Amino acid sequence: MTPLSTLIERAEAIYLTHGAGSAAYLLEQIEAAIRDGTPVQRIRELDHILQLIEYRERTLAVYGRG
């Protein structure tokens, strides 16, 4: 299992690269991985990263960007 610190780093990198479109980008990646028959562990990691991105967006919406 991938350490949480690694998942957080990946989530940050994706967020910095794709900004507000990060969740949509990850959904596309997950869909492509499923179509391509990617191993479940990799799909699970992408889903965990998506959850971190969504959590970040919800947190920023509640507490503001300050």
Side-chain angles (χ1 to χ4, degrees):
M1 187 161 163
T2 304
L4 180 58
S5 61
T6 302
L7 294 173
I8 290 172
E9 288 174 8
R10 290 180 187 167
E12 286 295 320
I14 290 170
Y15 194 80
L16 289 172
T17 304
H18 298 280
S22 297
Y25 168 78
L26 281 165
L27 284 173
E28 290 174 5
Q29 294 299 305
I30 291 169
E31 290 171 355
I34 292 169
R35 278 193 307 273
D36 296 342
T38 301
V40 172
Q41 179 62 28
R42 175 69 178 137
I43 295 169
R44 188 176 297 129
E45 287 177 5
L46 289 170
D47 181 58
H48 289 168
I49 295 169
L50 174 60
Q51 290 176 40
L52 289 167
I53 296 271
E54 289 174 338
Y55 175 78
R56 183 179 198 270
E57 291 174 354
R58 285 191 309 272
T59 301
L60 288 174
V62 170
Y63 296 107
R65 296 185 181 269

